Amino acid sequence: MESKRVKPQLKKNLWKPEEDLILKNYVETHGEGNWATVSERSGLMRGGKSCRLRWKNYLRPNIKRGEMSKEEEDLIIRMHKLLGNRWSLIAGRLPGRTDNEVKNYWNTHLNKKCLLGKRKATNSNNHEEEDNDENMNKKNKLGPPFHSEPNGSSLINLTSNTKLGLEEGSKKEESTVTEGNWMDYDASSFNYDIMDYPIMPEAAAGGAGNSASFVFDDEPLIAYMDSFILLEAFGCGGEEL
DNA sequence: AAGTGCTGCAACCGCGTCATT
DNA sequence: AAATGACGCGGTTGCAGCACT
């Protein structure tokens, strides 16, 4: 007589210390993963997502709590400038910090700071849309593409869609070269050659009909960004590395 | 001391991606 | 190839605590 399984009412709101203990014990004995079954098996009336979040953000070993150091703050600012709201990537560079924590810290402390700074630094040009964090995030789920200036310096576009093919010297590029939008970097500082990156079939097939057109795949770019972030974050000199 | 507004943080929600069937 | 489920990410919300009046 198998009746339809009724979904138990899941608990919400703040976690109690005893719930933390149950989850911690459960994960330590059974390991991470299968979050959907954790609530059933552990007896916690919490959704899998909730359990996962609680573990990831608070119960996991090596979680660092408390004040952000000046160095961490600085790193967050630099990386946010490079990556936008990609909190998990940023948090990945801050040992013991979680994406949620970094995100909250940004929203409560750094965002204001940076906005104030930007207000002072920018003139009345209408770049509001490009500079808007939310727009950046929507447009920039993938990593930033690159662009070489005729003078030899290089730029990373932080706001456009990675999948677009860059056309050298196009109007679009020129119009988007603004502070906080394109980042100057010295390509010679890196062991990186832009030609190492895959040219996607559609681009290779001649979409733009231009040998300077690149379409970047997400992962290789992320891999590149990792090393770039390190170099950028620690001052490009490499003395810290 | 009480009321109100503000701030910071924990947690939830919706959506996208990936793996499996 | 399509459907399904699990997981991860970023945005948003709700609430507790603090500051101010």
Side-chain angles (χ1 to χ4, degrees), chain A residues 11 36 69 74 83 88 120 125-126 145 150 154 157 175-176 185 215:
Chain A
K11 252 197 254 178
S69 68
D74 193 47
L83 296 167
S88 59
K120 278 185 194 164
N125 288 349
N126 60 340
S154 304
N157 184 351
S175 69
T176 50
Y185 75 97
V215 176

Side-chain angles (χ1 to χ4, degrees), chain A residues 49-62:
Chain A
K49 273 186 171 187
S50 184
C51 293
R52 185 187 139 266
L53 201 71
R54 188 66 187 172
W55 172 258
K56 206 181 121 193
N57 289 339
Y58 301 95
L59 303 176
R60 217 167 28 141
N62 304 324

Side-chain angles (χ1 to χ4, degrees), chain A residues 156-220:
Chain A
I156 294 177
N157 184 351
L158 293 173
T159 62
S160 59
N161 190 326
T162 318
K163 292 262 177 187
L164 83 112
L166 283 181
E167 290 162 43
E168 203 170 335
S170 73
K171 287 275 189 298
K172 184 177 187 341
E173 283 172 7
E174 282 173 17
S175 69
T176 50
V177 179
T178 60
E179 191 193 353
N181 191 3
W182 288 88
M183 293 287 298
D184 267 306
Y185 75 97
D186 179 5
S188 63
S189 304
F190 308 101
N191 294 326
Y192 171 78
D193 180 354
I194 200 162
M195 298 309 285
D196 284 343
Y197 275 86
I199 298 173
M200 301 298 273
E202 58 264 42
N210 184 330
S211 61
S213 295
F214 296 92
V215 176
F216 294 94
D217 207 351
D218 193 19
E219 285 316 309

